[in-house]
Structures are given as structure tokens and as C-alpha cells.
Amino acid sequence: MAPHLNNVGTTKERILSTAEVLFARRGFDGASLRQLTAAAGVNLAAVNYHFGSKEKLIEQVFRRRLDALNARRLDALSKVIGTDDTTLEDVLDAYIRPALELSHDDNGALFMRVLARAFAEHDDTLRHFLSENYGHVMRQFTAEFARLLPQLSKPELYWRIDLVTGALTHAMSGFGMIQRKSGVSETVHLEQTAQHLIRFAVAGLSHP
Amino acid sequence: MAPHLNNVGTTKERILSTAEVLFARRGFDGASLRQLTAAAGVNLAAVNYHFGSKEKLIEQVFRRRLDALNARRLDALSKVIGTDDTTLEDVLDAYIRPALELSHDDNGALFMRVLARAFAEHDDTLRHFLSENYGHVMRQFTAEFARLLPQLSKPELYWRIDLVTGALTHAMSGFGMIQRKSGVSETVHLEQTAQHLIRFAVAGLSHP
DNA sequence: CGTATGATCAAACGATCGTTTGAACACGTT
DNA sequence: AACGTGTTCAAACGATCGTTTGATCATACG
């Protein structure tokens, strides 16, 4: 067996999914294009040919996952709002569950680590990109939280959403103490995680 | 004015405090020893002469701050436990406030970003180092949480502590939405942050 | 004064990085 | 068969990295 982590799909797809794995494992700087292309089983020059540069490859890794994630988030949100009996749990579920389900398919969980790493890197270019392309999603959820928590001042609400975001990012990036027990199936573990996150977020958002 | 960020103290001290700034700003890989020594106003070879290697320098940057931080945490904890009327707020205060006060002195806030970055990097060497040297602090706090929250199962408690840790790390690393308003003094902002964090953590830990 | 000792210096080392180049290849169209 | 287009390839480019070297400086001791 050749030392390839990936040998299916087109060259572009192999680079993308291999990049996701290696960026999560070693970081953006830590994963070199030589390691990446070797693991993907493609030529070194293929990255610059198909993506233009390493930085544009990173952007594509983000775009591929986040487009799907935020589309599903907005879809789930649209299904729970507009009625009189919308609960905080419903909105949080629409926010959290798509992210957890993303961890379901191959390498999806690794992408969450990529995302957490990107947050920690404080890269302004990346933050602009995130705000530019997906800021409207966060804005829509924030508006819904504000409607469901009218007793909170705007600064107070922003504080709490920020802390919830920290907890979610931390949990989804998977570097906490909690690991899946060997006897628990992936599906069950996902459901347990969702339950913990939502209950925790409800308590943190709505306490007096 | 020469392009030095730092020109006081011994060579070793100048390297340490300059490293703290640059690691927070550009990451461990991103900050090169040439940038670092130039900013510190010392010779390139000084790092390897005084610390042995870049990795050992990183370890010293951590050790200098974490020794003080965890000593103050344990000191604060010892002052609130042992009595019958110890509250969850007391223990959380002992955990959170030393970290926030660390952000008070020069570059202390930057160190929190270094710490958050280190968490995100998933570096096993670093995690071993943290667990080896400061694990007993976390264990002591966890034991106290368990005593104050006897209704929670052990897995449930670990889950909640994990999520609280995520919120704290996120908030202290300062990459959230919340920024200090220009009219608010540093001291006031610190107190507000502590209040938000503690109330949020209490709600998240103790909800039914 | 002479001489150890520790600190600082400019310069170079080998390694690895992202990127570029130009030839070779595959293959549908004329 | 000849050509054009898009892709893959080995090889090299210049830049930068962490580290090492050997000379030079400062200073305290016999």
C-alpha cells in the first residue's frame, strides 16, 4: 500500500479533503504542501495549478464546509420561527444540530478543529472572510435570540451569546475532557452532545 | 527610535516578554526567532544561548505566567473552602479572577491569547506539559465543584465543567464580539467581565 | 598585568518552505 | 494524422527557517 491517505475522486477533491485532515492535525503553517500533496497522491504543483496558492486553498476548505453548514442552519431556523410558540431550545437546536451533524460525515469532525484553530489564530483576513460571507447567519440568529429574550439588554445579550459560542466551539473542536466512550455509538454520542450543549446554552442565555 | 519593542532588563527577560507579545500576535510558528530577537534588541543567537532552543523558550514563556496564575488560584481557593457556607460563586471566583487579574499587567492579556492558541493547536507535548505541571489545580477545583453539586453525576459534571472552560477560554482570549468600550476603564471592564463569566458559569453548572 | 569566564556578535550551515518553470502526457476535435 | 486544450510531472528557484560556529567583548579574579 502506497503511503496515500486519499486516492479517490478528482485531483481537486483529493487535495481538498486531504487538506482538511492535515490542517486539523498540524495547523495551517504546520502542514506543508509537500506533506499534503504526498498524502493526497498528487503532484506538488497541483495545488498552485488548481487553487492558485496555499492561502486560496485554505479559503476553499472553509467555503466548502461552511456553505453547507450555514445553509442547513438557516433552513432549520426558518422551520422553527414565525410561530407563537417558538422556544429558545428550538432556535439553539437549529444552530447547534447542523454543526454536530456535519461532524457525522468523514472528516467533518476534523473541520470543526480547523475552525477552532482558525479562531485562535486571530487571522484578520480570515475573520473578514467569515464575517463577509456568513455574518448574515449570525445576525439572523442573534435577532431571534433578542426576540425570545426581551428582558436582556443588548450588551447583556451579546455577552451571553459570545460565551455560548465559546462553549460550542470548545465542545465541537473536541479538545475537551469528554471523549466518546467505546460502548457508545456515534449517533448516540452525537445526540448526547447536542442535549448537553442545548441545555447548557439555555441555562446560560436565560438565567435571570 | 530604533525598531525595538523592548529595551529594558536583562537579555533573558527581554527575550521572554518580547516572545510573549509576538507569540500572541503571530503564533508559535508565525513568529520567527529573527523577528523576535530584532524586536527584543538582542542578537539572534541569544535565544539558543540562554534557552537552548525555540521550543524551550516557549515552555519558559508558559511557565513564568502559569506558575504565578495557579499559585494565586490555589491561594484564592483555600480561602473560600473549608467552611459550611461556601458557594459556587466563591469557587468560580477563585478560578476566574486570578486569570482576569493576570490580564491586568503588561502583556498579561496577550498571554491569555497565547494560551488559547496553544489549546487550539492540539500540541500533545504542550498538553502533557500542562497536565503534568498544573493538573493538580484543575483536579482540586473539580473536587470542590463535585462537593457543591452533589446532584450531578460524574459524567454530567465533567460535561458542564468542560463547557464552562470553553466559555472562559473564549472570553479570556478576547476574540469574541465583546470589546471594551472606549469610555470604560480597564478596571471596570475587568469587573464586568468577571461578573458576566461567573453568573454565566453558575447558571451553566447548576441548572437542573 | 595576565587570564579565565560568560555574554554578545556577525556569519554561515543545512533544511524546508511556497511557488514557478517547461517539458511530457492524455484526449477530444478537425 | 495533426492539432489544441487541459492536466500532470520532475526539477529548480529564491526566501526563510532554527541552529551552530568561532571570533570578539566585558569583567572579575589571582
Side-chain angles (χ1 to χ4, degrees), chain B residues 32-34 44 53-54:
Chain B
S32 72
L33 292 186
R34 282 172 179 81
L44 168 62
S53 67
K54 182 179 185 178

Side-chain angles (χ1 to χ4, degrees), chain A residues 28-41:
Chain A
F28 300 116
D29 287 348
S32 73
L33 293 187
R34 282 173 177 80
Q35 296 172 355
L36 202 161
T37 52

Side-chain angles (χ1 to χ4, degrees), chain A residues 99-124:
Chain A
L100 288 172
E101 285 170 357
L102 172 63
S103 341
H104 220 39
D105 56 280
D106 291 339
N107 302 337
L110 287 177
F111 174 72
M112 281 300 159
R113 286 170 56 170
V114 175
L115 199 58
R117 197 186 278 270
F119 266 109
E121 303 233 350
H122 282 96
D123 187 280
D124 280 340

Side-chain angles (χ1 to χ4, degrees), chain B residues 71-90:
Chain B
R72 295 180 68 170
R73 274 179 165 166
L74 288 181
D75 184 58
L77 181 63
S78 73
K79 283 178 180 156
V80 298
I81 64 174
T83 66
D84 291 346
D85 57 346
T86 305
T87 66
L88 199 55
E89 281 87 347
D90 292 335

Side-chain angles (χ1 to χ4, degrees), chain B residues 10-20 22-23 28 31-61:
Chain B
T10 69
T11 297
K12 232 177 150 175
E13 285 166 350
R14 283 196 285 182
I15 292 175
L16 272 174
S17 50
T18 306
E20 199 166 55
L22 289 193
F23 286 156
F28 301 116
S32 72
L33 292 186
R34 282 172 179 81
Q35 296 171 355
L36 202 161
T37 51
V42 304
N43 187 270
L44 168 62
V47 170
N48 281 277
Y49 179 77
H50 286 284
F51 297 94
S53 67
K54 182 179 185 178
E55 194 157 337
K56 288 181 182 171
L57 167 63
I58 294 174
E59 185 181 306
Q60 286 302 316
V61 169

Side-chain angles (χ1 to χ4, degrees), chain B residues 1-162:
Chain B
M1 183 68 184
H4 295 171
L5 296 178
N6 197 333
N7 46 21
V8 294
T10 69
T11 297
K12 232 177 150 175
E13 285 166 350
R14 283 196 285 182
I15 292 175
L16 272 174
S17 50
T18 306
E20 199 166 55
V21 176
L22 289 193
F23 286 156
R25 199 179 294 169
R26 318 230 191 232
F28 301 116
D29 287 347
S32 72
L33 292 186
R34 282 172 179 81
Q35 296 171 355
L36 202 161
T37 51
V42 304
N43 187 270
L44 168 62
V47 170
N48 281 277
Y49 179 77
H50 286 284
F51 297 94
S53 67
K54 182 179 185 178
E55 194 157 337
K56 288 181 182 171
L57 167 63
I58 294 174
E59 185 181 306
Q60 286 302 316
V61 169
F62 276 88
R63 204 180 281 279
R64 187 173 66 148
R65 294 285 184 182
L66 289 180
D67 282 354
L69 171 64
N70 283 307
R72 295 180 68 170
R73 274 179 165 166
L74 288 181
D75 184 58
L77 181 63
S78 73
K79 283 178 180 156
V80 298
I81 64 174
T83 66
D84 291 346
D85 57 346
T86 305
T87 66
L88 199 55
E89 281 87 347
D90 292 335
V91 179
L92 281 168
D93 196 271
Y95 187 69
I96 293 171
R97 200 169 292 273
L100 288 173
E101 285 170 357
L102 172 63
S103 330
H104 220 38
D105 57 281
D106 291 340
N107 304 336
L110 287 177
F111 174 72
M112 280 300 160
R113 286 171 53 170
V114 175
L115 197 59
R117 198 187 277 273
F119 266 108
E121 302 234 350
H122 282 98
D123 186 280
D124 279 341
T125 307
L126 195 54
R127 301 195 67 182
H128 266 102
F129 167 76
L130 291 176
S131 165
E132 191 85 15
N133 291 277
Y134 309 103
H136 67 288
V137 178
M138 199 59 213
R139 245 172 278 126
Q140 205 160 329
F141 274 93
T142 301
E144 205 54 36
F145 286 134
R147 204 176 62 78
L148 289 167
L149 299 163
Q151 74 275 18
L152 298 181
S153 68
K154 221 164 90 173
E156 180 72 37
L157 177 67
Y158 288 167
W159 257 108
R160 298 188 184 194
I161 291 178
D162 203 31

